[in-house]
Amino acid sequence: MLNYQKLLEPGEKKEILPLKAYEYGIKVMHLLPRDLNITYLQETFNEWIRSEPWQLPSGIMLGSVKPSIGLDDDQPKAYWKSFPDKPSFYRQLIYDSHPSLRKNKQKETELAIKILSNERIAAVLNELRRAIAAELWKKESISGKLSYYLTTNPIANLLPNMGGSYNLANSYPRLRTEPTIDNIGSIQPLLEMMFIKTDRISLAFSEKDFTVSENIAILHDIKELFSPRGNSRALPTAHPVLIPHPYQGKNSPPRPMRWELNEDFDYERVAVLQKNLTPFSKDPKKHKGEIKWDQGRLGAGTRNEASPDTIMARRARMPIETGRSHTAARLFEMVSLLKPGSNASIEEHKLFKRRIQAIAYGIFAYWNAPNEYGGYPKSLTPIHTYHEVMDPAEDYAPGIYSQPFSYEDLKDYLQKSSSHGYARL
């Protein structure tokens, strides 16, 4: 537990904080009692402070930062909450404890589980993974190729593969050959460990078919390898920058947009602001360096309640956690390397839309499904929710989130893929 004590007056116990939030909701926010459930307020608060972190940053902080790298996800979910003041804490606790929002959170978990077992999405991702590998390898530098051969030779391949953050999350494909009663004494498992490469580049090229989770982990880590410094990768590498900052590449959408209600109470796409909540008036593709767009957050686990992005999602009772997903946008930028030109066939444009849709659904599901279904270990970091993934996805493939602040687009997709099979891709 971390720094919730700064929210307390002298002599108060932590159990008083949900009660104070309830009182704030009634007296300041003028909410009705049906919008406030003291049990849910207490449960949400206890989730935020359940585990002890490894570090002690300053400020009013709540939540776990204790990871379980490469192990079973046996730690409490990570909540990196950092509030500038008590009202901010009260408001977020109230929003995250609303009965309708809690139902939507459960719905997202159920939908995520279905996605991870969806054969159509897995088939699209397997084809996409190989196409991305071929495209990046075609543009790979000589030093990058040399680095690959040096670090994936049989001797090095026996060492733990420490490249790629989702490999560290234990999400890569397992070796398919394991010792059995029939091959005791056989060197086959050892040979497979030595000669079947399990690094992210080799896995990207693999003709084997992987699960949705495995494909997402490989694609994510390939994206890290070819992104700009500070944009998914922290250290210099031998590999060139091939994936641009979100909205700043040759094939990028003009600028980030979000859903908003107009005066006729219809949803329309409007421009996303900068992080300081001011408009960005220039051409993003001509800007040097990464543009700091408004993600609707103050920190990795704390929403900015003044952001239009946050306000709109709160009204719809949509789960939101760590902000409009730039990780997803970077994946969409990688897929956009394969974006067809304006003179391409209708089928080529449909293929691109299917790819964006599959990787959007896949990364959402990977983050939100339980670990036992192949999901991301929730103890590592806060996660992005359905709306936080699909709002930027709509920029890259208009129409895949045409029914905003609901799950109808995804439900339609899952129903069609289950009723018609997945062969017609």
Side-chain angles (χ1 to χ4, degrees):
M1 294 178 289
L2 175 60
N3 285 344
Y4 68 84
Q5 293 92 342
K6 294 189 177 183
L7 296 164
L8 297 170
E9 300 297 330
E12 288 183 336
K13 295 184 178 180
K14 67 178 185 294
E15 289 77 13
I16 196 68
L17 292 175
L19 296 174
K20 284 189 169 184
Y22 184 94
E23 183 180 359
Y24 182 89
I26 295 291
K27 293 184 177 180
V28 179
M29 298 176 68
H30 307 295
L31 297 175
L32 298 175
R34 68 168 180 262
D35 293 322
L36 293 162
N37 184 306
I38 189 62
T39 300
Y40 291 165
L41 290 167
Q42 291 169 337
E43 289 178 357
T44 301
F45 176 69
N46 288 334
E47 288 174 2
W48 286 357
I49 65 172
R50 185 164 291 158
S51 61
E52 296 183 358
W54 281 11
Q55 55 187 355
L56 299 174
S58 61
I60 300 174
M61 300 283 294
L62 297 163
S64 165
V65 293
K66 189 173 183 180
S68 57
I69 294 177
L71 305 173
D72 291 333
D73 193 27
D74 58 354
Q75 300 296 329
K77 183 185 181 311
Y79 289 100
W80 299 352
K81 303 293 183 185
S82 177
F83 301 100
D85 48 44
K86 291 181 182 180
S88 297
F89 163 75
Y90 296 145
R91 285 179 177 273
Q92 188 154 340
L93 183 61
I94 288 168
Y95 286 131
D96 283 8
S97 304
H98 193 279
S100 296
L101 186 138
R102 288 171 66 95
K103 288 181 181 178
N104 282 337
K105 279 186 175 181
Q106 181 58 37
K107 191 177 298 182
E108 293 199 0
T109 300
E110 294 168 358
L111 289 169
I113 292 171
K114 291 181 179 179
I115 289 171
L116 292 191
S117 62
N118 187 277
E119 293 180 324
R120 180 184 183 186
I121 294 174
V124 175
L125 291 176
N126 275 308
E127 177 274 329
L128 172 62
R129 168 174 53 80
R130 298 176 191 118
I132 286 290
E135 179 69 16
L136 293 174
W137 189 255
K138 182 173 65 177
K139 299 177 180 178
E140 173 67 287
S141 64
I142 295 175
S143 60
K145 291 181 178 180
L146 180 61
S147 170
Y148 165 75
Y149 290 121
L150 289 174
T151 58
T152 60
N153 63 74
I155 296 176
N157 204 46
L158 290 173
L159 302 174
N161 177 16
M162 301 304 289
S165 59
Y166 284 6
N167 174 44
L168 299 182
N170 208 23
S171 297
Y172 277 15
R174 310 288 188 188
L175 289 175
R176 303 305 194 208
T177 300
E178 297 178 358
T180 67
I181 193 69
D182 297 322
N183 65 11
I184 291 178
S186 169
I187 64 169
Q188 177 62 29
L190 178 61
L191 290 175
E192 178 160 328
M193 288 179 63
M194 291 180 65
F195 296 109
I196 296 182
K197 295 181 178 180
T198 56
D199 63 281
R200 47 189 154 179
I201 294 179
S202 299
L203 288 172
F205 274 108
S206 176
E207 289 300 318
K208 290 185 177 182
D209 286 338
F210 300 136
T211 66
V212 172
S213 292
E214 291 169 343
N215 276 304
I216 288 296
I218 296 164
L219 286 164
H220 173 275
D221 288 358
I222 282 288
K223 178 264 302 177
E224 286 185 333
L225 199 61
F226 293 95
S227 290
R229 288 277 306 279
N231 186 337
S232 296
R233 69 177 180 185
L235 300 174
T237 74
H239 304 282
V241 173
L242 299 178
I243 301 168
H245 293 296
Y247 303 96
Q248 294 179 243
K250 181 180 67 173
N251 295 334
S252 303
R255 63 180 57 239
M257 307 290 284
R258 63 177 183 83
W259 285 113
E260 181 64 81
L261 273 178
N262 61 25
E263 58 185 16
D264 296 323
F265 295 98
D266 293 322
Y267 287 116
E268 64 179 3
R269 299 291 279 175
V270 300
V272 169
L273 301 175
Q274 296 181 87
K275 187 176 182 179
N276 61 7
L277 302 186
T278 62
F280 186 84
S281 57
K282 300 177 182 178
D283 182 354
K285 297 181 182 181
K286 296 180 179 179
H287 186 82
K288 293 183 178 180
E290 184 179 9
I291 300 169
K292 301 300 182 183
W293 300 105
D294 173 34
Q295 293 179 260
R297 72 184 197 180
L298 295 174
T302 313
R303 294 294 302 210
N304 180 2
E305 302 299 336
S307 165
D309 191 84
T310 299
I311 292 169
M312 195 65 232
R314 295 292 196 209
R315 288 176 184 170
R317 307 296 182 196
M318 286 296 284
I320 50 177
E321 186 170 330
T322 191
R324 180 185 175 93
S325 179
H326 280 190
T327 299
R330 290 166 188 142
L331 285 169
F332 304 151
E333 286 291 346
M334 181 172 68
V335 178
S336 294
L337 297 176
L338 305 174
K339 185 176 182 178
S342 57
N343 60 344
S345 67
I346 294 176
E347 286 305 313
E348 288 176 298
H349 286 286
K350 286 183 177 180
L351 174 61
F352 177 74
K353 183 176 181 179
R354 286 197 297 269
R355 288 167 164 175
I356 292 289
Q357 194 168 33
I359 203 167
Y361 289 157
I363 191 65
F364 152 71
Y366 176 70
W367 282 326
N368 287 271
N371 193 226
E372 60 264 32
Y373 291 92
Y376 177 74
K378 307 302 180 290
S379 62
L380 289 178
T381 62
I383 57 172
H384 293 286
T385 62
Y386 181 74
H387 174 70
E388 292 174 332
V389 171
M390 296 310 297
D391 210 18
E394 177 70 10
D395 291 335
Y396 289 83
I400 65 173
Y401 190 43
S402 60
Q403 302 178 74
F405 306 106
S406 77
Y407 305 101
E408 296 309 309
D409 296 297
L410 174 54
K411 288 179 179 178
D412 290 345
Y413 181 97
L414 293 174
Q415 183 177 10
K416 290 176 182 177
S417 64
S418 62
S419 61
H420 298 121
Y422 69 95
R424 292 167 54 197
L425 299 176

